Amino acid sequence: GAGVSQSPRYKVAKRGQDVALRCDPISGHVSLFWYQQALGQGPEFLTYFQNEAQLDKSGLPSDRFFAERPEGSVSTLKIQRTQQEDSAVYLCASSLDDQPQHFGDGTRLSIL
Amino acid sequence: QKEVEQNSGPLSVPEGAIASLNCTYSDRGSQSFFWYRQYSGKSPELIMFIYSNGDKEDGRFTAQLNKASQYVSLLIRDSQPSDSATYLCAVNIGTGRRALTFGSGTRLQVQP
C-alpha cells in the first residue's frame, strides 16, 4: 500500500522567505508526527497530531514554526522568515493509534 | 546526559558475523523501544519494536530489552553487506508521550 508521502522532496529558499512542507499520511492513520533531522544526527521531534488536534508541539523550536492538520489527514509544516539554521531534512511519520511510526522520505530544506 | 545514547561507530563486522548494536536511555519509566534502519539519504525504516523485558526475534533480527539496566540492544545475525546503514534507537520518553526521542545512531559497516 501507499506509504507516507511528503512534498516537495527538495526545497531551496533564501533566508527570510516562508516555506510550506506537505505530508500525506498513510490512509487511516490517525496519528501524525513531524521531526527535524540535522546531518549526522537522529531525528528530533517537532509536533504531533491526533486527527486534527495538535496534542504536542513542545518540539517546535520557535514561533516561526507552525503546523496544521485541519481535516485530520494532510498536514502542512510552515516555517516563516527562514534562517540558515533551519536547513535540515524534515520528516513526517504516521501511525495507527499507539502503534509504531512509519516515516516518509522527507523534505530536504536548504536555506541560502 | 543525553536521553538516548548510542555509540556512533562505525561498527565494522565481517559478512556472516553477528552485529551487536547497543542503546541506553535515561527515563526509567519508558515503555516503548524501537529500532530504525536508515540508509544514507533515505528515511528511517522500522526494523523492530519491543515493549517487554527479554528478547524479541524477527528473522535475522533480535531486540533485547533490560529495563532494570535501561538498556536495549539489536542483534543482527548472518550480517550482509546490505545491512550496512545507520541504526537509530528510539524511545518514548515521558509518561504517555507519543513523541519518539532518538539516539544519534550507530553506523554499521558489513565487510564482504
Side-chain angles (χ1 to χ4, degrees), chain B residues 29-79:
Chain B
S30 296
Q31 297 292 323
S32 306
F33 307 86
F34 305 86
W35 284 99
Y36 286 85
R37 177 176 64 195
Q38 188 171 31
Y39 293 112
S40 181
K42 301 295 185 182
S43 63
E45 174 191 8
L46 180 69
I47 297 297
M48 293 284 290
F49 59 93
I50 187 167
Y51 302 145
S52 303
N53 271 332
D55 294 0
K56 179 182 178 183
E57 187 175 318
D58 184 2
R60 295 187 297 114
F61 299 97
T62 298
Q64 298 176 316
L65 175 60
N66 184 326
K67 289 186 179 179
S69 300
Q70 294 172 239
Y71 177 94
V72 57
S73 65
L74 179 70
L75 301 178
I76 306 174
R77 288 181 299 282
D78 188 23
S79 295

mmCIF file of all heavy atoms in Angstrom, chain B residues 29-79:
data_model
loop_
_atom_site.group_PDB
_atom_site.id
_atom_site.type_symbol
_atom_site.label_atom_id
_atom_site.label_comp_id
_atom_site.label_asym_id
_atom_site.label_seq_id
_atom_site.Cartn_x
_atom_site.Cartn_y
_atom_site.Cartn_z
ATOM 1 N N GLY B 29 10.941 5.252 33.358
ATOM 2 C CA GLY B 29 9.534 4.969 33.099
ATOM 3 C C GLY B 29 9.201 4.674 31.645
ATOM 4 O O GLY B 29 8.045 4.415 31.324
ATOM 5 N N SER B 30 10.182 4.711 30.760
ATOM 6 C CA SER B 30 9.926 4.462 29.344
ATOM 7 C C SER B 30 9.380 3.063 29.130
ATOM 8 O O SER B 30 9.798 2.111 29.779
ATOM 9 C CB SER B 30 11.216 4.650 28.531
ATOM 10 O OG SER B 30 11.654 5.996 28.606
ATOM 11 N N GLN B 31 8.424 2.965 28.178
ATOM 12 C CA GLN B 31 7.719 1.697 27.964
ATOM 13 C C GLN B 31 7.908 1.108 26.567
ATOM 14 O O GLN B 31 7.702 -0.076 26.365
ATOM 15 C CB GLN B 31 6.221 1.896 28.197
ATOM 16 C CG GLN B 31 5.865 2.310 29.619
ATOM 17 C CD GLN B 31 6.128 1.215 30.624
ATOM 18 O OE1 GLN B 31 5.929 0.039 30.337
ATOM 19 N NE2 GLN B 31 6.630 1.590 31.797
ATOM 20 N N SER B 32 8.262 1.962 25.594
ATOM 21 C CA SER B 32 8.270 1.513 24.201
ATOM 22 C C SER B 32 9.603 1.842 23.562
ATOM 23 O O SER B 32 10.100 2.965 23.697
ATOM 24 C CB SER B 32 7.144 2.201 23.412
ATOM 25 O OG SER B 32 5.900 2.006 24.052
ATOM 26 N N PHE B 33 10.138 0.856 22.820
ATOM 27 C CA PHE B 33 11.506 0.974 22.306
ATOM 28 C C PHE B 33 11.525 0.489 20.854
ATOM 29 O O PHE B 33 10.911 -0.529 20.537
ATOM 30 C CB PHE B 33 12.468 0.141 23.159
ATOM 31 C CG PHE B 33 12.343 0.467 24.624
ATOM 32 C CD1 PHE B 33 11.398 -0.169 25.407
ATOM 33 C CD2 PHE B 33 13.148 1.437 25.188
ATOM 34 C CE1 PHE B 33 11.253 0.160 26.751
ATOM 35 C CE2 PHE B 33 13.013 1.767 26.528
ATOM 36 C CZ PHE B 33 12.069 1.129 27.309
ATOM 37 N N PHE B 34 12.225 1.221 20.017
ATOM 38 C CA PHE B 34 12.164 0.966 18.587
ATOM 39 C C PHE B 34 13.572 1.012 18.002
ATOM 40 O O PHE B 34 14.422 1.782 18.432
ATOM 41 C CB PHE B 34 11.305 2.040 17.891
ATOM 42 C CG PHE B 34 9.929 2.167 18.481
ATOM 43 C CD1 PHE B 34 9.711 2.985 19.576
ATOM 44 C CD2 PHE B 34 8.862 1.469 17.942
ATOM 45 C CE1 PHE B 34 8.443 3.102 20.136
ATOM 46 C CE2 PHE B 34 7.592 1.580 18.490
ATOM 47 C CZ PHE B 34 7.387 2.393 19.590
ATOM 48 N N TRP B 35 13.782 0.187 16.979
ATOM 49 C CA TRP B 35 14.995 0.262 16.167
ATOM 50 C C TRP B 35 14.600 0.592 14.727
ATOM 51 O O TRP B 35 13.748 -0.070 14.149
ATOM 52 C CB TRP B 35 15.766 -1.048 16.204
ATOM 53 C CG TRP B 35 16.522 -1.265 17.478
ATOM 54 C CD1 TRP B 35 16.145 -2.014 18.545
ATOM 55 C CD2 TRP B 35 17.802 -0.712 17.809
ATOM 56 N NE1 TRP B 35 17.108 -1.963 19.536
ATOM 57 C CE2 TRP B 35 18.140 -1.165 19.103
ATOM 58 C CE3 TRP B 35 18.707 0.130 17.135
ATOM 59 C CZ2 TRP B 35 19.334 -0.822 19.737
ATOM 60 C CZ3 TRP B 35 19.886 0.473 17.766
ATOM 61 C CH2 TRP B 35 20.198 -0.003 19.052
ATOM 62 N N TYR B 36 15.234 1.632 14.195
ATOM 63 C CA TYR B 36 15.040 2.026 12.811
ATOM 64 C C TYR B 36 16.371 1.898 12.076
ATOM 65 O O TYR B 36 17.433 2.173 12.630
ATOM 66 C CB TYR B 36 14.562 3.480 12.717
ATOM 67 C CG TYR B 36 13.123 3.701 13.122
ATOM 68 C CD1 TYR B 36 12.768 3.883 14.460
ATOM 69 C CD2 TYR B 36 12.113 3.752 12.163
ATOM 70 C CE1 TYR B 36 11.445 4.097 14.830
ATOM 71 C CE2 TYR B 36 10.786 3.963 12.515
ATOM 72 C CZ TYR B 36 10.464 4.131 13.842
ATOM 73 O OH TYR B 36 9.153 4.341 14.202
ATOM 74 N N ARG B 37 16.281 1.531 10.825
ATOM 75 C CA ARG B 37 17.457 1.481 9.940
ATOM 76 C C ARG B 37 17.358 2.653 8.971
ATOM 77 O O ARG B 37 16.284 2.908 8.409
ATOM 78 C CB ARG B 37 17.490 0.171 9.178
ATOM 79 C CG ARG B 37 18.623 0.020 8.161
ATOM 80 C CD ARG B 37 18.605 -1.365 7.534
ATOM 81 N NE ARG B 37 17.394 -1.593 6.771
ATOM 82 C CZ ARG B 37 17.000 -2.807 6.376
ATOM 83 N NH1 ARG B 37 17.702 -3.879 6.681
ATOM 84 N NH2 ARG B 37 15.895 -2.939 5.656
ATOM 85 N N GLN B 38 18.473 3.338 8.763
ATOM 86 C CA GLN B 38 18.461 4.475 7.847
ATOM 87 C C GLN B 38 19.657 4.371 6.909
ATOM 88 O O GLN B 38 20.804 4.479 7.345
ATOM 89 C CB GLN B 38 18.487 5.811 8.612
ATOM 90 C CG GLN B 38 18.281 7.018 7.710
ATOM 91 C CD GLN B 38 18.086 8.311 8.488
ATOM 92 O OE1 GLN B 38 18.611 8.497 9.577
ATOM 93 N NE2 GLN B 38 17.304 9.231 7.920
ATOM 94 N N TYR B 39 19.356 4.173 5.632
ATOM 95 C CA TYR B 39 20.395 4.213 4.614
ATOM 96 C C TYR B 39 20.699 5.676 4.303
ATOM 97 O O TYR B 39 19.838 6.550 4.455
ATOM 98 C CB TYR B 39 19.959 3.479 3.353
ATOM 99 C CG TYR B 39 19.804 1.994 3.521
ATOM 100 C CD1 TYR B 39 18.550 1.382 3.459
ATOM 101 C CD2 TYR B 39 20.912 1.178 3.729
ATOM 102 C CE1 TYR B 39 18.412 0.013 3.602
ATOM 103 C CE2 TYR B 39 20.779 -0.194 3.879
ATOM 104 C CZ TYR B 39 19.525 -0.769 3.819
ATOM 105 O OH TYR B 39 19.394 -2.136 3.967
ATOM 106 N N SER B 40 21.914 5.926 3.834
ATOM 107 C CA SER B 40 22.344 7.291 3.555
ATOM 108 C C SER B 40 21.392 7.970 2.570
ATOM 109 O O SER B 40 21.098 7.430 1.504
ATOM 110 C CB SER B 40 23.764 7.280 2.987
ATOM 111 O OG SER B 40 24.204 8.580 2.730
ATOM 112 N N GLY B 41 20.875 9.114 2.964
ATOM 113 C CA GLY B 41 19.978 9.867 2.096
ATOM 114 C C GLY B 41 18.546 9.376 2.068
ATOM 115 O O GLY B 41 17.724 9.905 1.320
ATOM 116 N N LYS B 42 18.259 8.375 2.889
ATOM 117 C CA LYS B 42 16.904 7.818 2.919
ATOM 118 C C LYS B 42 16.245 8.087 4.264
ATOM 119 O O LYS B 42 16.882 8.575 5.196
ATOM 120 C CB LYS B 42 16.945 6.306 2.647
ATOM 121 C CG LYS B 42 17.562 5.944 1.307
ATOM 122 C CD LYS B 42 16.730 6.450 0.151
ATOM 123 C CE LYS B 42 17.283 5.970 -1.175
ATOM 124 N NZ LYS B 42 16.479 6.508 -2.326
ATOM 125 N N SER B 43 14.990 7.735 4.379
ATOM 126 C CA SER B 43 14.267 7.955 5.622
ATOM 127 C C SER B 43 14.407 6.752 6.552
ATOM 128 O O SER B 43 14.751 5.657 6.105
ATOM 129 C CB SER B 43 12.791 8.201 5.311
ATOM 130 O OG SER B 43 12.225 7.058 4.710
ATOM 131 N N PRO B 44 14.163 6.922 7.850
ATOM 132 C CA PRO B 44 14.235 5.789 8.788
ATOM 133 C C PRO B 44 13.173 4.735 8.472
ATOM 134 O O PRO B 44 12.021 5.062 8.189
ATOM 135 C CB PRO B 44 13.973 6.447 10.146
ATOM 136 C CG PRO B 44 14.295 7.896 9.948
ATOM 137 C CD PRO B 44 13.913 8.197 8.553
ATOM 138 N N GLU B 45 13.575 3.480 8.565
ATOM 139 C CA GLU B 45 12.694 2.345 8.288
ATOM 140 C C GLU B 45 12.601 1.504 9.560
ATOM 141 O O GLU B 45 13.624 1.099 10.108
ATOM 142 C CB GLU B 45 13.285 1.522 7.141
ATOM 143 C CG GLU B 45 12.565 0.230 6.833
ATOM 144 C CD GLU B 45 13.357 -0.649 5.885
ATOM 145 O OE1 GLU B 45 14.521 -0.327 5.585
ATOM 146 O OE2 GLU B 45 12.824 -1.684 5.457
ATOM 147 N N LEU B 46 11.393 1.235 10.008
ATOM 148 C CA LEU B 46 11.199 0.464 11.234
ATOM 149 C C LEU B 46 11.705 -0.969 11.041
ATOM 150 O O LEU B 46 11.315 -1.648 10.091
ATOM 151 C CB LEU B 46 9.712 0.455 11.612
ATOM 152 C CG LEU B 46 9.352 -0.309 12.880
ATOM 153 C CD1 LEU B 46 9.907 0.417 14.105
ATOM 154 C CD2 LEU B 46 7.842 -0.461 12.992
ATOM 155 N N ILE B 47 12.573 -1.405 11.978
ATOM 156 C CA ILE B 47 13.099 -2.764 11.946
ATOM 157 C C ILE B 47 12.456 -3.620 13.025
ATOM 158 O O ILE B 47 11.989 -4.722 12.773
ATOM 159 C CB ILE B 47 14.632 -2.745 12.141
ATOM 160 C CG1 ILE B 47 15.318 -2.002 10.999
ATOM 161 C CG2 ILE B 47 15.193 -4.169 12.239
ATOM 162 C CD1 ILE B 47 15.128 -2.649 9.650
ATOM 163 N N MET B 48 12.453 -3.108 14.236
ATOM 164 C CA MET B 48 11.948 -3.883 15.378
ATOM 165 C C MET B 48 11.348 -2.930 16.397
ATOM 166 O O MET B 48 11.748 -1.770 16.500
ATOM 167 C CB MET B 48 13.094 -4.641 16.075
ATOM 168 C CG MET B 48 13.731 -5.747 15.285
ATOM 169 S SD MET B 48 12.711 -7.220 15.233
ATOM 170 C CE MET B 48 12.800 -7.805 16.915
ATOM 171 N N PHE B 49 10.416 -3.435 17.186
ATOM 172 C CA PHE B 49 9.963 -2.721 18.356
ATOM 173 C C PHE B 49 9.783 -3.727 19.480
ATOM 174 O O PHE B 49 9.509 -4.915 19.240
ATOM 175 C CB PHE B 49 8.681 -1.925 18.100
ATOM 176 C CG PHE B 49 7.518 -2.753 17.645
ATOM 177 C CD1 PHE B 49 6.601 -3.259 18.545
ATOM 178 C CD2 PHE B 49 7.329 -3.015 16.284
ATOM 179 C CE1 PHE B 49 5.528 -4.004 18.118
ATOM 180 C CE2 PHE B 49 6.257 -3.759 15.849
ATOM 181 C CZ PHE B 49 5.353 -4.260 16.767
ATOM 182 N N ILE B 50 9.960 -3.253 20.707
ATOM 183 C CA ILE B 50 9.887 -4.143 21.873
ATOM 184 C C ILE B 50 9.338 -3.365 23.040
ATOM 185 O O ILE B 50 9.682 -2.186 23.240
ATOM 186 C CB ILE B 50 11.273 -4.767 22.179
ATOM 187 C CG1 ILE B 50 11.179 -5.820 23.286
ATOM 188 C CG2 ILE B 50 12.319 -3.702 22.503
ATOM 189 C CD1 ILE B 50 12.428 -6.689 23.402
ATOM 190 N N TYR B 51 8.447 -3.995 23.802
ATOM 191 C CA TYR B 51 7.796 -3.322 24.917
ATOM 192 C C TYR B 51 8.087 -4.006 26.257
ATOM 193 O O TYR B 51 7.960 -3.397 27.310
ATOM 194 C CB TYR B 51 6.281 -3.277 24.710
ATOM 195 C CG TYR B 51 5.820 -2.597 23.448
ATOM 196 C CD1 TYR B 51 4.700 -3.062 22.763
ATOM 197 C CD2 TYR B 51 6.483 -1.489 22.922
ATOM 198 C CE1 TYR B 51 4.254 -2.448 21.600
ATOM 199 C CE2 TYR B 51 6.048 -0.867 21.754
ATOM 200 C CZ TYR B 51 4.934 -1.350 21.100
ATOM 201 O OH TYR B 51 4.517 -0.737 19.953
ATOM 202 N N SER B 52 8.453 -5.315 26.203
ATOM 203 C CA SER B 52 8.620 -6.090 27.431
ATOM 204 C C SER B 52 10.064 -6.531 27.600
ATOM 205 O O SER B 52 10.779 -6.731 26.608
ATOM 206 C CB SER B 52 7.734 -7.336 27.387
ATOM 207 O OG SER B 52 6.384 -6.997 27.194
ATOM 208 N N ASN B 53 10.465 -6.705 28.834
ATOM 209 C CA ASN B 53 11.805 -7.218 29.119
ATOM 210 C C ASN B 53 12.026 -8.555 28.417
ATOM 211 O O ASN B 53 11.114 -9.363 28.282
ATOM 212 C CB ASN B 53 11.990 -7.431 30.613
ATOM 213 C CG ASN B 53 12.515 -6.192 31.306
ATOM 214 O OD1 ASN B 53 13.200 -5.372 30.707
ATOM 215 N ND2 ASN B 53 12.181 -6.048 32.569
ATOM 216 N N GLY B 54 13.268 -8.756 27.962
ATOM 217 C CA GLY B 54 13.600 -10.029 27.337
ATOM 218 C C GLY B 54 13.967 -9.842 25.879
ATOM 219 O O GLY B 54 14.383 -8.766 25.465
ATOM 220 N N ASP B 55 13.821 -10.919 25.123
ATOM 221 C CA ASP B 55 14.211 -10.932 23.717
ATOM 222 C C ASP B 55 12.983 -11.013 22.828
ATOM 223 O O ASP B 55 11.985 -11.641 23.164
ATOM 224 C CB ASP B 55 15.100 -12.151 23.422
ATOM 225 C CG ASP B 55 16.431 -12.091 24.143
ATOM 226 O OD1 ASP B 55 16.678 -11.114 24.881
ATOM 227 O OD2 ASP B 55 17.236 -13.031 23.967
ATOM 228 N N LYS B 56 13.110 -10.387 21.650
ATOM 229 C CA LYS B 56 12.085 -10.492 20.619
ATOM 230 C C LYS B 56 12.790 -10.738 19.305
ATOM 231 O O LYS B 56 13.668 -9.954 18.925
ATOM 232 C CB LYS B 56 11.238 -9.220 20.554
ATOM 233 C CG LYS B 56 10.166 -9.256 19.480
ATOM 234 C CD LYS B 56 9.390 -7.946 19.442
ATOM 235 C CE LYS B 56 8.345 -7.965 18.337
ATOM 236 N NZ LYS B 56 7.623 -6.666 18.253
ATOM 237 N N GLU B 57 12.432 -11.822 18.629
ATOM 238 C CA GLU B 57 13.138 -12.211 17.410
ATOM 239 C C GLU B 57 12.235 -12.045 16.195
ATOM 240 O O GLU B 57 11.039 -12.325 16.240
ATOM 241 C CB GLU B 57 13.584 -13.675 17.528
ATOM 242 C CG GLU B 57 14.462 -14.168 16.405
ATOM 243 C CD GLU B 57 14.973 -15.592 16.645
ATOM 244 O OE1 GLU B 57 15.366 -15.897 17.784
ATOM 245 O OE2 GLU B 57 14.947 -16.386 15.692
ATOM 246 N N ASP B 58 12.836 -11.582 15.097
ATOM 247 C CA ASP B 58 12.135 -11.467 13.827
ATOM 248 C C ASP B 58 13.152 -11.710 12.716
ATOM 249 O O ASP B 58 13.938 -10.829 12.388
ATOM 250 C CB ASP B 58 11.490 -10.097 13.681
ATOM 251 C CG ASP B 58 10.659 -9.963 12.405
ATOM 252 O OD1 ASP B 58 10.557 -10.950 11.643
ATOM 253 O OD2 ASP B 58 10.116 -8.873 12.160
ATOM 254 N N GLY B 59 13.148 -12.934 12.184
ATOM 255 C CA GLY B 59 14.119 -13.274 11.145
ATOM 256 C C GLY B 59 15.539 -13.205 11.678
ATOM 257 O O GLY B 59 15.856 -13.811 12.705
ATOM 258 N N ARG B 60 16.378 -12.444 11.014
ATOM 259 C CA ARG B 60 17.776 -12.316 11.447
ATOM 260 C C ARG B 60 17.964 -11.308 12.572
ATOM 261 O O ARG B 60 19.073 -11.134 13.072
ATOM 262 C CB ARG B 60 18.651 -11.924 10.252
ATOM 263 C CG ARG B 60 18.722 -12.964 9.156
ATOM 264 C CD ARG B 60 19.737 -12.575 8.094
ATOM 265 N NE ARG B 60 19.389 -11.339 7.401
ATOM 266 C CZ ARG B 60 20.096 -10.212 7.473
ATOM 267 N NH1 ARG B 60 21.178 -10.143 8.242
ATOM 268 N NH2 ARG B 60 19.716 -9.144 6.785
ATOM 269 N N PHE B 61 16.902 -10.630 12.962
ATOM 270 C CA PHE B 61 16.995 -9.560 13.953
ATOM 271 C C PHE B 61 16.455 -10.018 15.306
ATOM 272 O O PHE B 61 15.430 -10.693 15.378
ATOM 273 C CB PHE B 61 16.209 -8.332 13.495
ATOM 274 C CG PHE B 61 16.693 -7.725 12.208
ATOM 275 C CD1 PHE B 61 16.083 -8.038 11.005
ATOM 276 C CD2 PHE B 61 17.760 -6.842 12.191
ATOM 277 C CE1 PHE B 61 16.536 -7.481 9.816
ATOM 278 C CE2 PHE B 61 18.210 -6.279 11.015
ATOM 279 C CZ PHE B 61 17.601 -6.600 9.822
ATOM 280 N N THR B 62 17.167 -9.650 16.377
ATOM 281 C CA THR B 62 16.691 -9.862 17.737
ATOM 282 C C THR B 62 16.856 -8.574 18.512
ATOM 283 O O THR B 62 17.951 -8.011 18.558
ATOM 284 C CB THR B 62 17.478 -10.976 18.450
ATOM 285 O OG1 THR B 62 17.298 -12.212 17.747
ATOM 286 C CG2 THR B 62 16.982 -11.156 19.886
ATOM 287 N N ALA B 63 15.763 -8.113 19.116
ATOM 288 C CA ALA B 63 15.825 -6.971 20.015
ATOM 289 C C ALA B 63 15.846 -7.500 21.445
ATOM 290 O O ALA B 63 15.146 -8.458 21.772
ATOM 291 C CB ALA B 63 14.634 -6.045 19.801
ATOM 292 N N GLN B 64 16.674 -6.881 22.277
ATOM 293 C CA GLN B 64 16.782 -7.288 23.678
ATOM 294 C C GLN B 64 16.538 -6.070 24.554
ATOM 295 O O GLN B 64 17.111 -5.008 24.308
ATOM 296 C CB GLN B 64 18.179 -7.858 23.953
ATOM 297 C CG GLN B 64 18.504 -9.094 23.147
ATOM 298 C CD GLN B 64 19.931 -9.575 23.377
ATOM 299 O OE1 GLN B 64 20.863 -8.775 23.410
ATOM 300 N NE2 GLN B 64 20.100 -10.882 23.518
ATOM 301 N N LEU B 65 15.702 -6.229 25.569
ATOM 302 C CA LEU B 65 15.366 -5.119 26.458
ATOM 303 C C LEU B 65 15.630 -5.510 27.898
ATOM 304 O O LEU B 65 15.200 -6.570 28.350
ATOM 305 C CB LEU B 65 13.893 -4.717 26.289
ATOM 306 C CG LEU B 65 13.347 -3.644 27.230
ATOM 307 C CD1 LEU B 65 14.111 -2.332 27.079
ATOM 308 C CD2 LEU B 65 11.864 -3.442 26.988
ATOM 309 N N ASN B 66 16.315 -4.637 28.617
ATOM 310 C CA ASN B 66 16.554 -4.793 30.046
ATOM 311 C C ASN B 66 16.202 -3.474 30.718
ATOM 312 O O ASN B 66 16.997 -2.533 30.732
ATOM 313 C CB ASN B 66 18.023 -5.155 30.309
ATOM 314 C CG ASN B 66 18.309 -5.436 31.777
ATOM 315 O OD1 ASN B 66 17.711 -4.830 32.660
ATOM 316 N ND2 ASN B 66 19.226 -6.350 32.038
ATOM 317 N N LYS B 67 14.979 -3.397 31.234
ATOM 318 C CA LYS B 67 14.506 -2.138 31.810
ATOM 319 C C LYS B 67 15.253 -1.793 33.096
ATOM 320 O O LYS B 67 15.434 -0.615 33.400
ATOM 321 C CB LYS B 67 13.000 -2.209 32.067
ATOM 322 C CG LYS B 67 12.168 -2.190 30.793
ATOM 323 C CD LYS B 67 10.692 -2.114 31.118
ATOM 324 C CE LYS B 67 9.862 -2.062 29.843
ATOM 325 N NZ LYS B 67 8.394 -2.001 30.150
ATOM 326 N N ALA B 68 15.667 -2.799 33.857
ATOM 327 C CA ALA B 68 16.393 -2.518 35.105
ATOM 328 C C ALA B 68 17.707 -1.803 34.816
ATOM 329 O O ALA B 68 18.122 -0.896 35.546
ATOM 330 C CB ALA B 68 16.644 -3.809 35.874
ATOM 331 N N SER B 69 18.349 -2.173 33.732
ATOM 332 C CA SER B 69 19.616 -1.555 33.346
ATOM 333 C C SER B 69 19.413 -0.408 32.358
ATOM 334 O O SER B 69 20.396 0.232 31.959
ATOM 335 C CB SER B 69 20.553 -2.603 32.733
ATOM 336 O OG SER B 69 20.833 -3.629 33.662
ATOM 337 N N GLN B 70 18.155 -0.176 31.939
ATOM 338 C CA GLN B 70 17.830 0.896 30.978
ATOM 339 C C GLN B 70 18.664 0.740 29.713
ATOM 340 O O GLN B 70 19.359 1.684 29.272
ATOM 341 C CB GLN B 70 18.020 2.266 31.641
ATOM 342 C CG GLN B 70 17.007 2.473 32.759
ATOM 343 C CD GLN B 70 17.264 3.722 33.581
ATOM 344 O OE1 GLN B 70 17.451 3.654 34.789
ATOM 345 N NE2 GLN B 70 17.263 4.843 32.922
ATOM 346 N N TYR B 71 18.559 -0.437 29.135
ATOM 347 C CA TYR B 71 19.429 -0.858 28.057
ATOM 348 C C TYR B 71 18.599 -1.630 27.043
ATOM 349 O O TYR B 71 17.806 -2.506 27.405
ATOM 350 C CB TYR B 71 20.513 -1.746 28.689
ATOM 351 C CG TYR B 71 21.510 -2.361 27.767
ATOM 352 C CD1 TYR B 71 22.733 -1.750 27.517
ATOM 353 C CD2 TYR B 71 21.256 -3.600 27.185
ATOM 354 C CE1 TYR B 71 23.672 -2.338 26.695
ATOM 355 C CE2 TYR B 71 22.190 -4.196 26.365
ATOM 356 C CZ TYR B 71 23.389 -3.565 26.127
ATOM 357 O OH TYR B 71 24.321 -4.152 25.337
ATOM 358 N N VAL B 72 18.782 -1.287 25.767
ATOM 359 C CA VAL B 72 18.117 -2.027 24.697
ATOM 360 C C VAL B 72 19.147 -2.281 23.609
ATOM 361 O O VAL B 72 19.999 -1.411 23.333
ATOM 362 C CB VAL B 72 16.875 -1.265 24.170
ATOM 363 C CG1 VAL B 72 17.216 0.118 23.675
ATOM 364 C CG2 VAL B 72 16.153 -2.047 23.105
ATOM 365 N N SER B 73 19.109 -3.468 23.030
ATOM 366 C CA SER B 73 20.097 -3.796 22.008
ATOM 367 C C SER B 73 19.428 -4.442 20.806
ATOM 368 O O SER B 73 18.288 -4.904 20.873
ATOM 369 C CB SER B 73 21.180 -4.714 22.573
ATOM 370 O OG SER B 73 20.617 -5.954 22.938
ATOM 371 N N LEU B 74 20.160 -4.440 19.703
ATOM 372 C CA LEU B 74 19.712 -5.080 18.466
ATOM 373 C C LEU B 74 20.834 -5.983 17.983
ATOM 374 O O LEU B 74 21.968 -5.517 17.814
ATOM 375 C CB LEU B 74 19.385 -4.036 17.397
ATOM 376 C CG LEU B 74 18.935 -4.592 16.042
ATOM 377 C CD1 LEU B 74 17.541 -5.217 16.167
ATOM 378 C CD2 LEU B 74 18.925 -3.492 14.967
ATOM 379 N N LEU B 75 20.496 -7.250 17.795
ATOM 380 C CA LEU B 75 21.452 -8.202 17.228
ATOM 381 C C LEU B 75 21.036 -8.527 15.802
ATOM 382 O O LEU B 75 19.851 -8.763 15.535
ATOM 383 C CB LEU B 75 21.478 -9.499 18.048
ATOM 384 C CG LEU B 75 21.846 -9.383 19.522
ATOM 385 C CD1 LEU B 75 21.776 -10.760 20.187
ATOM 386 C CD2 LEU B 75 23.217 -8.775 19.690
ATOM 387 N N ILE B 76 22.007 -8.504 14.916
ATOM 388 C CA ILE B 76 21.759 -8.873 13.523
ATOM 389 C C ILE B 76 22.619 -10.106 13.238
ATOM 390 O O ILE B 76 23.853 -10.026 13.250
ATOM 391 C CB ILE B 76 22.116 -7.731 12.550
ATOM 392 C CG1 ILE B 76 21.397 -6.440 12.937
ATOM 393 C CG2 ILE B 76 21.749 -8.130 11.123
ATOM 394 C CD1 ILE B 76 21.804 -5.225 12.109
ATOM 395 N N ARG B 77 21.958 -11.218 13.007
ATOM 396 C CA ARG B 77 22.694 -12.461 12.716
ATOM 397 C C ARG B 77 22.972 -12.555 11.230
ATOM 398 O O ARG B 77 22.250 -11.969 10.405
ATOM 399 C CB ARG B 77 21.874 -13.674 13.150
ATOM 400 C CG ARG B 77 21.781 -13.858 14.653
ATOM 401 C CD ARG B 77 20.962 -15.102 14.993
ATOM 402 N NE ARG B 77 19.598 -14.988 14.497
ATOM 403 C CZ ARG B 77 18.661 -14.267 15.097
ATOM 404 N NH1 ARG B 77 18.942 -13.612 16.203
ATOM 405 N NH2 ARG B 77 17.446 -14.225 14.601
ATOM 406 N N ASP B 78 24.043 -13.316 10.886
ATOM 407 C CA ASP B 78 24.397 -13.521 9.482
ATOM 408 C C ASP B 78 24.395 -12.181 8.731
ATOM 409 O O ASP B 78 23.699 -12.011 7.720
ATOM 410 C CB ASP B 78 23.421 -14.508 8.830
ATOM 411 C CG ASP B 78 23.829 -14.931 7.436
ATOM 412 O OD1 ASP B 78 25.031 -14.842 7.122
ATOM 413 O OD2 ASP B 78 22.932 -15.298 6.641
ATOM 414 N N SER B 79 25.163 -11.238 9.230
ATOM 415 C CA SER B 79 25.187 -9.882 8.659
ATOM 416 C C SER B 79 25.546 -9.918 7.180
ATOM 417 O O SER B 79 26.439 -10.665 6.754
ATOM 418 C CB SER B 79 26.202 -9.019 9.407
ATOM 419 O OG SER B 79 25.815 -8.838 10.749
#
